[in-house]
């Protein structure tokens, strides 16, 4: 399967061509190049998935293939950094997800970004983003993953700040870059610890189950916590930053300042799932050598999911509702991994892992659909605010139907894809802890409520007066909506458990009838509540906001987490730490160096008189010196 190298290299080539040619290319040509390249690599990804899942299975277990492996830098006999391609079930799945969503975004952007200044630059950045994420998911070792991890960060910075003349977009891009850089510092330190003790970066070796690899970590601890728990916890910090887990979530809502198709790309299949993929890639290490960290990941995921869902219930900007929805759904995936084991069908030990990857797959499709649908609405009414919308189902039937399908999927309504993946996570969570399972079920109910609050406010409710009559989006924007809606309808019926599992062997999915029934009932009740409150204009939402003004205000302001960060950075770090250090640097260190220079100059100025070139002065000095020496010899 060496042809998979083309899947990585073609987007890079597209980025180079579009980046170097830029304004020399007409926008239509740039768009054609971007779409054509994504079409080719999407086809290659589908071919690779078909070939891998049907031809590379030995005794019921999928092989790990390395079609490319190059040694890049060697440090010693054991430790070296390689570049290559690793193909296994999760990397193949990610190739399909990334290329599919990226292709839809590229097609959609042909019309959505039409006439924008920097159109060619936009498509160059899209290609770079796709190349970075594809390189990340096929990395053969953790250091190669880190290289592409940072490239994803750079790409997101460029795309979020695409409107660089807009101060809010520049601030959002810097915020995303800085927050994730702090998280990535933890990731890098974790990589260094891991390589120091295991003498390898290679995923195949780390996940091989060979206990001798980790023998040097036995009995090593710090502050009562094992060195492997510290190591894997630090690595997870990097994943928490990319996947916007609390308290590193603050960059994601502001990332909405970028173009809407970029939001679909970042929130659906690329940047935000990188953290989930990281934990999944090293899952055997987490499960065997740091199970306590895995449980912490589950609880962080659950809290993040609840926190984001509550905030989403009161947001009025449709893109920010979807942003907090993404944070919440990523929390679901983290919970699935955190409560999982490795074993196969017996005892349901591997259920959480399989369910998490299944939800990653289904969520990518319907969340991309939601963002592109939101873009279609914004394109029609020229506003992000829900109070500028209402009654749009009459003007935008395709967007209405496809958006409804995505809402039904994320709410977990049968037979849409979200029902199957989300319920498997709930079943795994209930097996781990009934309390955690009940919490996640409540969050699932909140999800159904805030998504249909969004849907009814956009497409039903009171119709807002517009300067121009809203209209359905053109074909290049409508086609991705229809395609992703079709995938959302059928994806749940894929035999996912036979394809992607923790131990690469088959896992036969059996829906838990009790969990599924309760889940559907909760979702239906939540949708009904949303319909009663928002399907027609009523005073109930305003009355509730007044009655519960405290929690409403806090949730509307994201529980003031951004303000806490600003207080800590400006009032504490800047004023109490940075300012004294800056004073010491200026008045002690710099002053000392400056005074040394002053003294040196003064001494030079005084001593240079002895080199005047006047014979009389030299004779005078010589005479005085001779008399002084003579006096010393005479009287001493």
């Amino acid at each position: 399967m060496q042809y998979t190298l083309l899947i990585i290299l073609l987007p890079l080539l597209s980025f180079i061509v579009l980046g170097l040619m830029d304004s020399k290319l007409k926008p239509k040509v740039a768009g054609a190049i971007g779409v054509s390249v994504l079409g080719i690599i999407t086809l290659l990804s589908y071919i690779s998935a078909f070939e891998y899942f049907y031809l590379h299975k030995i005794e019921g277990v999928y092989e790990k293939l390395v079609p490319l492996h190059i040694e890049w830098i060697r440090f010693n006999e054991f430790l070296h950094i390689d570049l290559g391609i690793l193909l296994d079930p999760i990397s193949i799945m990610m190739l399909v997800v990334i290329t599919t969503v990226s292709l839809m975004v590229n097609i959609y952007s042909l019309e959505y970004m039409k006439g924008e200044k920097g159109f060619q630059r936009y498509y160059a950045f899209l290609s770079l983003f796709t190349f970075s994420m594809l390189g990340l998911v096929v990395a053969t070792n953790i250091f190669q993953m880190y290289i592409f991890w940072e490239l994803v960060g750079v790409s997101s910075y460029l795309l979020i700040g695409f409107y660089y003349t807009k101060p809010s977009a520049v601030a959002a891009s810097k915020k995303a870059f800085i927050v994730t850089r702090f998280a990535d510092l933890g990731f890098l330190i974790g990589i260094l610890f891991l390589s120091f003790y295991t003498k390898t970066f290679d995923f195949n070796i780390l996940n091989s189950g060979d206990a001798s690899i980790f023998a040097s970590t036995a009995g090593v601890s710090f502050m009562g916590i094992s060195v492997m728990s510290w190591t894997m916890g630090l690595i997870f910090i990097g994943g928490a930053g990319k996947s916007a887990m609390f308290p590193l979530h603050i960059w994601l809502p502001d990332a909405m300042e970028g173009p809407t198709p970029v939001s679909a790309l970042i929130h659906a299949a690329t940047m935000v799932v990188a953290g989930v993929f990281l934990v999944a890639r090293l899952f055997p290490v987490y499960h065997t050598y740091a199970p306590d960290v895995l449980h912490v990941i589950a609880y962080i995921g659950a809290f993040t999911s609840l926190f984001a869902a509550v905030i989403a219930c009161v947001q009025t900007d449709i893109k920010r509702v979807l942003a907090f929805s993404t944070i919440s759904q990523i929390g679901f995936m983290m919970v699935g991994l955190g409560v999982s084991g490795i074993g196969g069908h017996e005892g349901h030990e591997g259920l959480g892992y399989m369910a998490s990857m299944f939800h990653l797959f289904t969520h990518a499709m319907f969340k991309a659909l939601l963002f592109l649908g939101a873009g279609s609405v914004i394109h029609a009414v020229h506003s992000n605010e829900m109070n500028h919308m209402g009654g749009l189902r009459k003007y935008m039937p395709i967007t209405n139907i496809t958006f409804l399908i995505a809402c039904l999927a994320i709410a977990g309504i049968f037979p849409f894809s979200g029902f199957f993946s989300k319920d498997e996570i709930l079943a795994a969570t209930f097996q781990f802890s009934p309390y955690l399972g009940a919490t996640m079920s409540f969050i699932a109910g909140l999800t159904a409520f805030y998504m249909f609050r969004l849907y009814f406010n956009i497409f039903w409710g009171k119709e807002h007066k517009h300067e121009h009559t809203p209209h359905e989006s053109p074909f290049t924007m409508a086609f991705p909506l229809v395609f992703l809606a079709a995938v959302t309808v059928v994806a749940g019926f894929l035999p996912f458990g036979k394809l992607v599992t923790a131990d690469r062997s088959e896992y036969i999915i059996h829906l838990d009838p009790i969990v599924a029934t309760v889940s559907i009932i909760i979702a239906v009740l939540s949708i009904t509540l949303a319909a009663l409150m928002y399907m027609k204009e009523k005073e109930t939402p305003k009355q509730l906001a007044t009655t519960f003004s405290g929690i409403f205000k806090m949730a509307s302001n994201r529980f003031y987490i951004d303000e806490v960060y600003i207080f800590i950075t400006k009032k504490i770090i800047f004023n109490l730490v940075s300012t004294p250090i800056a004073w010491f640097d200026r008045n002690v260190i710099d002053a000392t160096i400056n005074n040394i220079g002053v003294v040196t100059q003064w001494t030079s100025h005084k001593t240079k008189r002895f080199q005047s070139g006047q014979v009389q002065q030299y004779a005078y000095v010589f005479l005085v010196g001779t008399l002084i020496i003579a006096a010393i010899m005479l009287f001493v």
Side-chain angles (χ1 to χ4, degrees):
M1 299 182 68
Q2 292 181 344
Y3 63 86
T4 50
L5 178 61
L6 290 174
I7 299 175
I8 314 300
L9 292 183
L10 286 177
L12 176 61
L13 180 62
S14 174
F15 164 68
I16 293 172
V17 171
L18 293 174
L20 292 178
M21 300 297 290
D22 193 20
S23 58
K24 296 177 182 178
L25 290 175
K26 291 183 179 180
K28 288 185 178 180
V29 176
I33 292 174
V35 171
S36 299
V37 168
L38 260 297
I40 293 169
I41 66 172
T42 301
L43 179 60
L44 289 174
S45 296
Y46 290 172
I47 293 172
S48 65
F50 179 83
E51 180 179 347
Y52 179 83
F53 285 120
Y54 284 93
L55 300 179
H56 294 281
K57 198 173 187 180
I58 299 176
E59 296 180 355
V61 178
Y62 289 106
E63 300 177 81
K64 287 186 175 182
L65 304 180
V66 184
L68 177 69
H69 187 271
I70 302 170
E71 184 178 293
W72 181 33
I73 301 175
R74 175 167 288 277
F75 296 106
N76 54 40
E77 181 183 355
F78 303 101
L79 199 60
H80 49 90
I81 299 176
D82 301 335
L83 297 176
I85 295 176
L86 171 61
L87 300 179
D88 67 349
I90 59 171
S91 62
I92 290 290
M93 176 202 72
M94 289 300 296
L95 289 180
V96 171
V97 169
I98 294 166
T99 55
T100 300
V101 174
S102 295
L103 176 60
M104 294 300 109
V105 167
N106 272 261
I107 295 173
Y108 185 92
S109 298
L110 290 173
E111 181 64 31
Y112 190 88
M113 298 298 292
K114 186 177 180 180
E116 288 282 359
K117 183 180 179 181
F119 184 89
Q120 299 90 326
R121 174 169 53 90
Y122 171 80
Y123 268 88
F125 291 165
L126 285 184
S127 296
L128 178 63
F129 200 118
T130 304
F131 161 72
S132 304
M133 195 64 200
L134 291 171
L136 188 155
V137 299
V138 299
T140 59
N141 60 83
I142 196 168
F143 210 97
Q144 181 187 344
M145 175 185 276
Y146 184 76
I147 294 170
F148 283 97
W149 189 276
E150 295 305 308
L151 274 175
V152 169
V154 172
S155 305
S156 65
Y157 169 79
L158 295 172
L159 285 168
I160 294 169
F162 175 77
Y163 298 119
Y164 59 86
T165 58
K166 187 179 177 184
S168 58
V170 173
S173 63
K174 290 192 293 185
K175 188 175 185 179
F177 191 80
I178 292 169
V179 170
T180 53
R181 289 298 71 68
F182 275 104
D184 292 350
L185 175 62
F187 186 14
L188 179 60
I189 295 172
I191 291 173
L192 297 177
F193 279 172
L194 187 65
S195 61
F196 175 79
Y197 285 102
T198 63
K199 303 295 186 294
T200 184
F201 295 118
D202 193 274
F203 286 130
N204 281 333
I205 297 175
L206 291 170
N207 293 329
S208 64
D210 185 354
S212 64
I213 302 297
F214 299 90
S216 61
T217 66
V220 182
S221 63
F222 176 68
M223 297 177 63
I225 301 175
S226 71
V227 70
M228 280 306 299
S229 293
W230 281 109
T231 298
M232 302 313 293
L234 285 166
I235 289 174
F236 171 68
I237 289 175
K242 275 287 192 290
S243 290
M245 293 290 98
F246 182 90
L248 300 172
H249 66 284
I250 59 171
W251 67 269
L252 192 60
D254 290 354
M256 298 299 96
E257 293 294 338
T260 301
V262 169
S263 301
L265 195 60
I266 291 176
H267 292 72
T270 53
M271 187 171 178
V272 292
V273 298
V276 178
F277 180 82
L278 174 62
V279 176
R281 172 57 77 204
L282 289 171
F283 185 76
V285 181
Y286 275 103
H287 180 264
T288 305
Y289 300 101
D292 50 340
V293 177
L294 208 56
H295 296 161
V296 170
I297 289 173
Y299 290 116
I300 290 175
F303 178 80
T304 302
S305 190
L306 176 61
F307 175 84
V310 171
I311 295 175
C313 289
V314 299
Q315 295 297 302
T316 58
D317 183 313
I318 63 174
K319 288 175 67 176
R320 279 181 167 75
V321 173
L322 296 177
F324 282 104
S325 170
T326 297
I327 297 173
S328 184
Q329 294 302 302
I330 296 294
F332 263 87
M333 299 173 205
M334 289 293 190
V335 170
L337 291 172
V339 303
S340 183
I342 288 184
H345 187 62
E346 294 182 6
H348 300 282
E349 290 183 355
L351 175 59
Y353 180 98
M354 184 279 299
S356 177
M357 295 297 98
F358 195 10
H359 198 57
L360 188 158
F361 179 82
T362 59
H363 173 265
M365 303 304 168
F366 59 68
K367 184 53 64 69
L369 174 56
L370 286 168
F371 268 106
L372 295 182
S376 182
V377 171
I378 294 169
H379 187 264
V381 301
H382 307 290
S383 175
N384 291 21
E385 291 294 324
M386 283 191 283
N387 56 12
H388 294 165
M389 301 170 191
L392 293 180
R393 69 187 187 281
K394 294 181 291 184
Y395 305 103
M396 308 178 71
I398 296 176
T399 304
N400 172 43
I401 294 172
T402 55
F403 202 91
L404 175 61
I405 289 172
C407 288
L408 290 169
I410 197 172
I413 299 298
F414 181 87
F416 302 98
S417 59
F419 164 79
F420 297 93
S421 57
K422 185 200 69 177
D423 275 28
E424 293 301 319
I425 291 178
L426 292 178
T429 307
F430 272 109
Q431 290 173 18
F432 178 80
S433 166
Y435 299 105
L436 188 60
T439 301
M440 299 310 294
S441 295
F442 173 71
I443 298 169
L446 284 180
T447 302
F449 172 77
Y450 69 67
M451 286 308 306
F452 274 87
R453 168 181 175 265
L454 177 65
Y455 171 73
F456 289 127
N457 271 311
I458 295 174
F459 296 101
W460 294 76
K462 182 180 179 181
E463 184 177 338
H464 185 79
K465 293 182 179 179
H466 304 282
E467 293 183 9
H468 305 284
T469 303
H471 57 83
E472 187 57 86
S473 298
F475 176 78
T476 50
M477 291 174 63
F479 171 74
L481 300 180
V482 175
F483 179 87
L484 290 170
V487 174
T488 299
V489 172
V490 302
F493 296 98
L494 289 174
F496 200 85
K498 295 183 178 182
L499 306 175
V500 181
T501 58
D503 57 1
R504 291 177 287 118
S505 60
E506 285 192 4
Y507 186 103
I508 307 301
I509 297 176
H510 293 292
L511 286 176
D512 187 319
I514 297 176
V515 173
T517 302
V518 172
S519 176
I520 290 177
I521 291 173
I522 292 173
V524 170
L525 290 176
S526 298
I527 293 171
T528 303
L529 178 61
L532 292 173
M533 292 176 64
Y534 299 104
M535 196 168 185
K536 294 182 179 180
E537 187 179 24
K538 293 183 178 180
E539 293 297 316
T540 306
K542 295 180 181 178
Q543 293 171 353
L544 289 174
T546 303
T547 304
F548 301 98
S549 58
I551 186 68
F552 180 84
K553 185 177 180 180
M554 291 181 67
S556 297
N557 290 280
R558 311 178 195 180
F559 292 97
Y560 300 101
I561 301 299
D562 288 73
E563 286 75 9
V564 171
Y565 269 98
I566 292 173
F567 175 80
I568 292 173
T569 54
K570 288 190 174 182
K571 300 295 184 181
I572 298 179
I573 297 178
F574 290 174
N575 291 348
L576 300 182
V577 179
S578 300
T579 300
I581 290 175
W583 181 91
F584 182 81
D585 180 60
R586 287 192 304 269
N587 296 281
V588 178
I589 297 177
D590 285 354
T592 300
I593 300 301
N594 292 338
N595 287 331
I596 290 173
V598 171
V599 171
T600 302
Q601 285 182 330
W602 181 84
T603 305
S604 300
H605 180 72
K606 295 299 181 182
T607 57
K608 73 179 181 180
R609 296 178 181 178
F610 292 101
Q611 301 292 330
S612 65
Q614 297 178 358
V615 176
Q616 298 93 323
Q617 184 182 5
Y618 293 164
Y620 170 76
V621 172
F622 178 77
L623 178 60
V624 172
T626 302
L627 291 174
I628 291 173
I629 293 171
I632 291 173
M633 293 179 66
L634 182 64
F635 295 104
V636 175

